[in-house]
Amino acid sequence: MTEIPAGYSSELDTYDTQRAIERIKHIFLAKLCAALHLVRVTAPLVVDPATGVNDNLNGVERPVGFDVPAIGKDAEVVQSLAKWKRVALRRYDFKVGKGIVCDMNAIRRDEELDNQHSIYVDQWDWEKVIDVDQRTPEYLESVVRRIVTAICGTLDELKWAYPQLDVELERDVTFVGAQELEDLYPDLAPEEREQRFVREHHTTFVRGIGGKLRSGKPHDGRAPDYDDWELNGDLLFWDETLGRALEVSSMGIRVSPESLDRQLTLAGCDDRRELPFHKALLAGELPYTIGGGIGQSRLCMLLLAKAHVGEVQASIWDEQTVSACEAAGVMLL
C-alpha cells in the first residue's frame, strides 16, 4: 500500500529529477567498476527456461513467459541474472579478481506494490571471480564496504550539483547476522526486526539469509542455487524521507559445489540437479564468484529523497497508488 508522508514535497522538479537520475547512473557505475574491478557487458532480457539459469527468487514468483515461434521454444523474462553472470564469467574467460556488471531489467508480476516496490525492476547486476580461500565472511564484508563507499561518493558528487538535497547517509556499516536479529527481537517479524535495527544503525548489512533460523523459519526466502546462505545478505540504508529502512542491494558469495548440494536438498529442489547450470556447478566447472544486484531505482529514490519509486521510474500502478500520489501532489513518471 502506498502512503505519502505528510508534508512531503520533492526537492527537485521533474526536469532536474531526470537529469539527476542520469548523473547518478553515470557516476555510480564508474565508482562501482573502479571499486570492484568490473567491466560492463551486455546482458539478456530473456532466457531459455530449460537451461535453469533464470532466478526463481523466493521460489514463489512466477516468471513472465511466452512462446517464440521462430525458434520453436518458450522464453522467460529474467527475474535476475545471478546464474547467467556466473556462466558468462566462464565463457568470457575472466580471471580471479575481475568481474562484470550489466543493466538488468526484469518484470516481477507477483510483486506487492508500495512506495518501494514496482513490477518493473532495474538493477546493476554484477559478478566477480574469486579464489576459493576468499569464500569468507571477512571478504564479503570488505566488498560491502566498497559498495557503500561508492554509494556515499556518488551522493557527495550529486549534492555538489544539487545543493538543495539534504540527504545524509551513514558511511560506517553495521554487520548483523539474521540469527542475531532473531535473538534480539524474538517477538518481531523479520521485516520488523530490520526496521528496529536499521533505525538505530543507519547503514546495515544483514548476513545469513535463506536458511532456517533457530525458530525454524528463515529470515527471508532465497533460492538455494545462487547465494551461499551462510555467506550472503542484504544491504539496507535508513531512508529519512519515508522513516524506514530501504533495501538497496541483495548480494553474496555464491554457492560452491558442496553448498549447492546441501542447499538443494534442504530446499527440496533436488530435481534441479539435472538442469545444465546445476550439473555444471556440481561438477566444479564454474568459477567461484561473489555477486549481487544493486537497485537502480531504489538508489535514485534514496539519494534524491523521493517518497515513491514511481518518481524515478516509469511503470504501471494500481488505483490506490495513483490516487494517493495525486492527493499528495506526487508525479508518477
Side-chain angles (χ1 to χ4, degrees):
M1 176 182 240
T2 293
E3 296 181 1
I4 305 301
Y8 167 77
S9 64
S10 175
E11 296 291 342
L12 302 180
D13 62 21
T14 305
Y15 177 82
D16 281 336
T17 293
Q18 295 289 352
R19 295 297 304 275
I21 291 171
E22 177 186 26
R23 189 180 293 265
I24 290 170
K25 292 188 176 184
H26 175 74
I27 294 171
F28 178 71
L29 180 59
K31 290 185 180 297
L32 181 69
C33 288
L36 300 183
H37 302 111
L38 307 177
V39 175
R40 189 186 180 282
V41 300
T42 300
L45 176 62
V46 295
V47 293
D48 181 350
T51 62
V53 299
N54 205 0
D55 185 357
N56 77 331
L57 304 174
N58 295 332
V60 296
E61 295 89 349
R62 300 170 299 159
V64 175
F66 54 93
D67 67 295
V68 185
I71 61 174
K73 291 182 178 181
D74 291 333
E76 288 180 353
V77 177
V78 297
Q79 297 203 100
S80 92
L81 295 171
K83 300 170 191 171
W84 177 87
K85 291 177 297 181
R86 197 164 179 180
V87 174
L89 286 170
R90 180 189 65 177
R91 292 186 63 225
Y92 302 166
D93 197 28
F94 274 63
K95 306 303 182 185
V96 171
K98 306 294 184 182
I100 59 176
V101 62
C102 46
D103 289 305
M104 191 282 294
N105 297 291
I107 303 297
R108 296 181 182 171
R109 63 181 181 180
D110 292 319
E111 195 73 75
E112 294 185 10
L113 306 184
D114 58 24
N115 295 62
Q116 304 176 12
H117 293 87
S118 167
I119 65 165
Y120 169 60
V121 178
D122 53 346
Q123 293 183 165
W124 290 284
D125 244 333
W126 64 274
E127 199 85 9
K128 178 177 178 178
V129 182
I130 61 174
D131 275 321
V132 63
D133 59 6
Q134 291 177 306
R135 300 188 76 257
T136 65
E138 293 76 18
Y139 183 74
L140 174 63
E141 291 183 6
S142 72
V143 173
V144 171
R145 290 190 182 97
R146 291 188 177 201
I147 292 172
V148 169
T149 297
I151 289 173
C152 292
T154 301
L155 176 60
D156 289 339
E157 295 197 34
L158 186 68
K159 290 170 72 172
W160 294 337
Y162 301 99
Q164 64 268 47
L165 293 173
D166 60 358
V167 178
E168 297 290 340
L169 297 179
E170 173 59 57
R171 295 167 188 265
D172 292 330
V173 189
T174 301
F175 294 88
V176 63
Q179 185 59 63
E180 293 176 75
L181 279 183
E182 184 179 73
D183 294 342
L184 281 171
Y185 313 113
D187 297 327
L188 298 181
E191 184 178 354
E192 294 171 328
R193 295 172 202 152
E194 290 182 351
Q195 298 298 328
R196 180 75 65 86
F197 193 86
V198 181
R199 185 184 296 273
E200 298 296 326
H201 308 274
H202 284 188
T203 301
T204 297
F205 188 78
V206 181
R207 292 186 308 251
I209 297 177
K212 290 182 179 180
L213 306 177
R214 282 194 282 271
S215 63
K217 300 178 181 179
H219 179 79
D220 196 1
R222 209 56 111 236
D225 44 12
Y226 59 98
D227 281 352
D228 187 314
W229 290 342
E230 296 179 1
L231 294 169
N232 73 340
D234 290 341
L235 175 62
L236 302 105
F237 289 87
W238 185 252
D239 185 339
E240 289 288 354
T241 302
L242 292 178
R244 59 178 291 113
L246 179 69
E247 180 191 320
V248 170
S249 177
S250 176
M251 58 173 286
I253 292 173
R254 306 308 197 184
V255 285
S256 63
E258 296 78 17
S259 57
L260 175 63
D261 179 57
R262 179 176 65 254
Q263 289 178 187
L264 286 176
T265 298
L266 289 172
C269 296
D270 284 320
D271 57 308
R272 298 187 194 178
R273 295 174 184 273
E274 296 306 312
L275 294 171
F277 171 83
H278 301 74
K279 289 178 74 172
L281 209 163
L282 289 167
E285 297 172 1
L286 298 181
Y288 293 104
T289 65
I290 182 173
I294 301 169
Q296 296 187 12
S297 291
R298 287 279 184 93
L299 185 61
C300 291
M301 183 183 171
L302 177 68
L303 300 188
L304 298 176
K306 298 291 189 178
H308 196 280
V309 68
E311 295 179 87
V312 296
Q313 64 153 247
S315 185
I316 56 175
W317 306 100
D318 58 288
E319 286 301 321
Q320 188 274 329
T321 295
V322 173
S323 297
C325 290
E326 284 182 349
V330 171
M331 179 177 177
L332 298 173
L333 299 181

Short mmCIF file of all heavy atoms in Angstrom, two decimals, residues 5 8 115-116 167-169 195 198-199 202-203 236-248 298-309:
data_model
loop_
_atom_site.label_atom_id
_atom_site.label_comp_id
_atom_site.label_asym_id
_atom_site.label_seq_id
_atom_site.Cartn_x
_atom_site.Cartn_y
_atom_site.Cartn_z
N PRO A 5 4.28 10.48 3.00
CA PRO A 5 4.42 11.17 4.29
C PRO A 5 3.79 12.56 4.26
O PRO A 5 3.85 13.27 3.24
CB PRO A 5 5.94 11.27 4.47
CG PRO A 5 6.50 10.17 3.63
CD PRO A 5 5.58 10.04 2.46
N TYR A 8 5.22 16.02 2.55
CA TYR A 8 6.30 15.70 1.60
C TYR A 8 6.21 16.56 0.34
O TYR A 8 5.13 16.78 -0.21
CB TYR A 8 6.24 14.23 1.19
CG TYR A 8 7.11 13.91 -0.01
CD1 TYR A 8 8.48 13.80 0.13
CD2 TYR A 8 6.55 13.77 -1.28
CE1 TYR A 8 9.29 13.55 -0.97
CE2 TYR A 8 7.35 13.49 -2.39
CZ TYR A 8 8.72 13.39 -2.23
OH TYR A 8 9.52 13.12 -3.32
N ASN A 115 5.42 1.95 -1.74
CA ASN A 115 6.34 3.06 -2.03
C ASN A 115 7.66 2.59 -2.63
O ASN A 115 8.28 3.31 -3.43
CB ASN A 115 6.64 3.86 -0.76
CG ASN A 115 5.41 4.55 -0.21
OD1 ASN A 115 4.44 3.91 0.16
ND2 ASN A 115 5.46 5.88 -0.15
N GLN A 116 8.12 1.40 -2.25
CA GLN A 116 9.43 0.93 -2.65
C GLN A 116 9.40 -0.14 -3.73
O GLN A 116 10.45 -0.48 -4.28
CB GLN A 116 10.17 0.34 -1.43
CG GLN A 116 10.29 1.30 -0.26
CD GLN A 116 10.92 0.64 0.94
OE1 GLN A 116 11.48 -0.45 0.86
NE2 GLN A 116 10.85 1.29 2.09
N VAL A 167 20.14 15.01 1.85
CA VAL A 167 20.27 13.60 2.20
C VAL A 167 21.62 13.36 2.89
O VAL A 167 22.66 13.86 2.44
CB VAL A 167 20.16 12.71 0.95
CG1 VAL A 167 20.34 11.24 1.30
CG2 VAL A 167 18.82 12.94 0.26
N GLU A 168 21.61 12.61 3.96
CA GLU A 168 22.83 12.19 4.65
C GLU A 168 22.78 10.68 4.83
O GLU A 168 21.75 10.12 5.20
CB GLU A 168 22.95 12.86 6.02
CG GLU A 168 23.06 14.38 5.99
CD GLU A 168 24.39 14.86 5.41
OE1 GLU A 168 25.35 14.06 5.38
OE2 GLU A 168 24.45 16.03 4.99
N LEU A 169 23.90 10.01 4.53
CA LEU A 169 24.00 8.56 4.70
C LEU A 169 25.11 8.23 5.68
O LEU A 169 26.17 8.88 5.68
CB LEU A 169 24.27 7.87 3.36
CG LEU A 169 23.20 8.00 2.27
CD1 LEU A 169 23.66 7.27 1.02
CD2 LEU A 169 21.86 7.47 2.75
N GLN A 195 13.60 -3.15 10.57
CA GLN A 195 13.24 -1.75 10.79
C GLN A 195 13.76 -1.25 12.14
O GLN A 195 14.32 -0.15 12.24
CB GLN A 195 11.71 -1.56 10.71
CG GLN A 195 11.10 -1.90 9.38
CD GLN A 195 11.61 -1.02 8.26
OE1 GLN A 195 11.94 0.15 8.45
NE2 GLN A 195 11.69 -1.59 7.06
N VAL A 198 17.78 -1.06 11.90
CA VAL A 198 18.30 -0.04 10.99
C VAL A 198 17.95 1.36 11.48
O VAL A 198 18.67 2.32 11.20
CB VAL A 198 17.81 -0.29 9.54
CG1 VAL A 198 18.37 0.76 8.58
CG2 VAL A 198 18.22 -1.68 9.07
N ARG A 199 16.89 1.49 12.22
CA ARG A 199 16.56 2.79 12.81
C ARG A 199 17.71 3.26 13.72
O ARG A 199 18.00 4.46 13.81
CB ARG A 199 15.26 2.69 13.62
CG ARG A 199 14.78 4.03 14.17
CD ARG A 199 13.53 3.82 15.03
NE ARG A 199 12.43 3.31 14.26
CZ ARG A 199 11.57 4.08 13.59
NH1 ARG A 199 11.71 5.40 13.60
NH2 ARG A 199 10.56 3.54 12.92
N HIS A 202 22.13 3.10 10.95
CA HIS A 202 21.53 3.59 9.71
C HIS A 202 22.00 2.90 8.44
O HIS A 202 21.30 2.94 7.43
CB HIS A 202 21.72 5.09 9.60
CG HIS A 202 20.80 5.86 10.49
ND1 HIS A 202 20.68 7.23 10.45
CD2 HIS A 202 19.94 5.44 11.46
CE1 HIS A 202 19.78 7.63 11.34
NE2 HIS A 202 19.33 6.57 11.97
N THR A 203 23.19 2.31 8.43
CA THR A 203 23.64 1.53 7.29
C THR A 203 23.97 0.14 7.81
O THR A 203 24.90 -0.04 8.60
CB THR A 203 24.87 2.16 6.62
OG1 THR A 203 24.53 3.48 6.18
CG2 THR A 203 25.33 1.34 5.42
N LEU A 236 20.99 -2.45 3.71
CA LEU A 236 19.88 -1.54 3.96
C LEU A 236 20.38 -0.20 4.46
O LEU A 236 21.34 -0.13 5.25
CB LEU A 236 18.91 -2.13 5.00
CG LEU A 236 18.30 -3.49 4.66
CD1 LEU A 236 18.96 -4.58 5.49
CD2 LEU A 236 16.80 -3.50 4.91
N PHE A 237 19.73 0.87 4.00
CA PHE A 237 20.00 2.23 4.47
C PHE A 237 18.74 2.77 5.14
O PHE A 237 17.63 2.43 4.75
CB PHE A 237 20.38 3.15 3.31
CG PHE A 237 21.73 2.88 2.72
CD1 PHE A 237 21.89 1.95 1.70
CD2 PHE A 237 22.85 3.57 3.17
CE1 PHE A 237 23.13 1.72 1.14
CE2 PHE A 237 24.10 3.34 2.61
CZ PHE A 237 24.24 2.41 1.59
N TRP A 238 18.93 3.66 6.11
CA TRP A 238 17.78 4.32 6.70
C TRP A 238 17.35 5.46 5.78
O TRP A 238 18.14 6.33 5.42
CB TRP A 238 18.11 4.86 8.08
CG TRP A 238 16.91 5.44 8.76
CD1 TRP A 238 16.64 6.75 8.98
CD2 TRP A 238 15.78 4.71 9.26
NE1 TRP A 238 15.41 6.90 9.60
CE2 TRP A 238 14.86 5.66 9.78
CE3 TRP A 238 15.45 3.35 9.31
CZ2 TRP A 238 13.65 5.27 10.36
CZ3 TRP A 238 14.24 2.98 9.89
CH2 TRP A 238 13.35 3.93 10.40
N ASP A 239 16.10 5.43 5.37
CA ASP A 239 15.52 6.42 4.47
C ASP A 239 14.75 7.44 5.31
O ASP A 239 13.66 7.15 5.81
CB ASP A 239 14.59 5.72 3.48
CG ASP A 239 14.02 6.65 2.42
OD1 ASP A 239 14.02 7.87 2.65
OD2 ASP A 239 13.59 6.16 1.37
N GLU A 240 15.33 8.63 5.47
CA GLU A 240 14.70 9.66 6.31
C GLU A 240 13.39 10.14 5.71
O GLU A 240 12.46 10.53 6.43
CB GLU A 240 15.65 10.84 6.50
CG GLU A 240 16.84 10.55 7.39
CD GLU A 240 16.47 10.44 8.87
OE1 GLU A 240 15.30 10.69 9.21
OE2 GLU A 240 17.36 10.09 9.67
N THR A 241 13.28 10.12 4.39
CA THR A 241 12.06 10.61 3.75
C THR A 241 10.86 9.76 4.14
O THR A 241 9.79 10.28 4.47
CB THR A 241 12.22 10.62 2.22
OG1 THR A 241 13.33 11.45 1.87
CG2 THR A 241 10.96 11.14 1.54
N LEU A 242 11.04 8.44 4.11
CA LEU A 242 9.95 7.53 4.44
C LEU A 242 9.94 7.13 5.91
O LEU A 242 8.97 6.55 6.40
CB LEU A 242 10.03 6.27 3.57
CG LEU A 242 9.75 6.45 2.08
CD1 LEU A 242 9.93 5.13 1.34
CD2 LEU A 242 8.35 7.00 1.86
N GLY A 243 11.06 7.39 6.61
CA GLY A 243 11.15 6.98 8.00
C GLY A 243 11.18 5.48 8.16
O GLY A 243 10.58 4.91 9.09
N ARG A 244 11.94 4.80 7.26
CA ARG A 244 12.02 3.35 7.31
C ARG A 244 13.27 2.88 6.60
O ARG A 244 13.93 3.66 5.88
CB ARG A 244 10.79 2.69 6.70
CG ARG A 244 10.54 3.05 5.25
CD ARG A 244 9.33 2.31 4.69
NE ARG A 244 9.59 0.88 4.57
CZ ARG A 244 8.97 -0.05 5.29
NH1 ARG A 244 8.05 0.29 6.17
NH2 ARG A 244 9.24 -1.33 5.11
N ALA A 245 13.60 1.61 6.78
CA ALA A 245 14.76 1.03 6.11
C ALA A 245 14.44 0.79 4.64
O ALA A 245 13.31 0.43 4.29
CB ALA A 245 15.15 -0.28 6.78
N LEU A 246 15.46 1.00 3.81
CA LEU A 246 15.32 0.78 2.37
C LEU A 246 16.41 -0.19 1.93
O LEU A 246 17.60 0.11 2.07
CB LEU A 246 15.45 2.10 1.61
CG LEU A 246 15.33 2.03 0.09
CD1 LEU A 246 13.90 1.67 -0.32
CD2 LEU A 246 15.73 3.35 -0.55
N GLU A 247 16.02 -1.35 1.42
CA GLU A 247 16.99 -2.32 0.91
C GLU A 247 17.47 -1.88 -0.46
O GLU A 247 16.67 -1.70 -1.37
CB GLU A 247 16.36 -3.72 0.80
CG GLU A 247 17.33 -4.77 0.28
CD GLU A 247 16.64 -6.07 -0.08
OE1 GLU A 247 15.72 -6.49 0.68
OE2 GLU A 247 17.00 -6.66 -1.11
N VAL A 248 18.78 -1.71 -0.59
CA VAL A 248 19.37 -1.26 -1.85
C VAL A 248 20.03 -2.40 -2.60
O VAL A 248 20.09 -2.39 -3.82
CB VAL A 248 20.37 -0.12 -1.58
CG1 VAL A 248 21.18 0.22 -2.82
CG2 VAL A 248 19.65 1.12 -1.08
N ARG A 298 15.90 2.11 -6.74
CA ARG A 298 15.99 2.22 -5.28
C ARG A 298 17.08 3.22 -4.88
O ARG A 298 16.88 4.05 -3.99
CB ARG A 298 16.31 0.86 -4.67
CG ARG A 298 15.16 -0.14 -4.67
CD ARG A 298 14.21 0.12 -3.51
NE ARG A 298 13.18 -0.89 -3.47
CZ ARG A 298 13.26 -2.01 -2.75
NH1 ARG A 298 14.34 -2.26 -2.03
NH2 ARG A 298 12.26 -2.87 -2.74
N LEU A 299 18.24 3.15 -5.54
CA LEU A 299 19.33 4.05 -5.20
C LEU A 299 18.97 5.49 -5.56
O LEU A 299 19.22 6.42 -4.77
CB LEU A 299 20.62 3.64 -5.91
CG LEU A 299 21.87 4.45 -5.53
CD1 LEU A 299 22.18 4.30 -4.05
CD2 LEU A 299 23.07 4.02 -6.37
N CYS A 300 18.35 5.69 -6.72
CA CYS A 300 17.93 7.04 -7.11
C CYS A 300 16.90 7.58 -6.12
O CYS A 300 16.94 8.76 -5.73
CB CYS A 300 17.35 7.03 -8.52
SG CYS A 300 18.57 6.72 -9.82
N MET A 301 15.97 6.74 -5.72
CA MET A 301 14.96 7.14 -4.75
C MET A 301 15.60 7.59 -3.44
O MET A 301 15.24 8.63 -2.86
CB MET A 301 14.04 5.94 -4.51
CG MET A 301 12.87 6.19 -3.60
SD MET A 301 11.94 4.65 -3.38
CE MET A 301 10.83 5.16 -2.07
N LEU A 302 16.59 6.84 -2.97
CA LEU A 302 17.27 7.16 -1.71
C LEU A 302 18.06 8.46 -1.82
O LEU A 302 17.93 9.35 -0.97
CB LEU A 302 18.20 6.00 -1.33
CG LEU A 302 19.04 6.19 -0.06
CD1 LEU A 302 18.15 6.19 1.18
CD2 LEU A 302 20.10 5.09 0.05
N LEU A 303 18.88 8.58 -2.86
CA LEU A 303 19.77 9.73 -2.97
C LEU A 303 19.02 11.03 -3.30
O LEU A 303 19.49 12.12 -2.96
CB LEU A 303 20.83 9.47 -4.04
CG LEU A 303 21.76 8.28 -3.80
CD1 LEU A 303 22.89 8.26 -4.83
CD2 LEU A 303 22.32 8.26 -2.38
N LEU A 304 17.86 10.90 -3.95
CA LEU A 304 17.08 12.09 -4.32
C LEU A 304 15.97 12.39 -3.33
O LEU A 304 15.16 13.29 -3.55
CB LEU A 304 16.50 11.92 -5.73
CG LEU A 304 17.52 11.79 -6.85
CD1 LEU A 304 16.83 11.54 -8.18
CD2 LEU A 304 18.41 13.02 -6.93
N ALA A 305 15.91 11.62 -2.23
CA ALA A 305 14.92 11.84 -1.17
C ALA A 305 13.49 11.78 -1.71
O ALA A 305 12.65 12.62 -1.39
CB ALA A 305 15.17 13.16 -0.45
N LYS A 306 13.22 10.79 -2.55
CA LYS A 306 11.89 10.63 -3.12
C LYS A 306 11.03 9.73 -2.23
O LYS A 306 11.52 8.79 -1.60
CB LYS A 306 11.98 10.02 -4.52
CG LYS A 306 12.75 10.87 -5.53
CD LYS A 306 12.00 12.15 -5.89
CE LYS A 306 12.67 12.86 -7.07
NZ LYS A 306 11.94 14.07 -7.48
N ALA A 307 9.74 10.00 -2.22
CA ALA A 307 8.82 9.24 -1.37
C ALA A 307 8.25 8.01 -2.06
O ALA A 307 7.71 7.12 -1.40
CB ALA A 307 7.67 10.13 -0.91
N HIS A 308 8.37 7.94 -3.40
CA HIS A 308 7.81 6.80 -4.13
C HIS A 308 8.72 6.44 -5.30
O HIS A 308 9.25 7.33 -5.99
CB HIS A 308 6.41 7.12 -4.64
CG HIS A 308 5.64 5.91 -5.06
ND1 HIS A 308 5.83 5.30 -6.29
CD2 HIS A 308 4.71 5.16 -4.40
CE1 HIS A 308 5.03 4.24 -6.37
NE2 HIS A 308 4.34 4.13 -5.24
N VAL A 309 8.89 5.15 -5.50
CA VAL A 309 9.78 4.69 -6.57
C VAL A 309 9.28 5.12 -7.95
O VAL A 309 10.07 5.28 -8.89
CB VAL A 309 9.96 3.15 -6.49
CG1 VAL A 309 8.66 2.42 -6.83
CG2 VAL A 309 11.10 2.68 -7.37
#
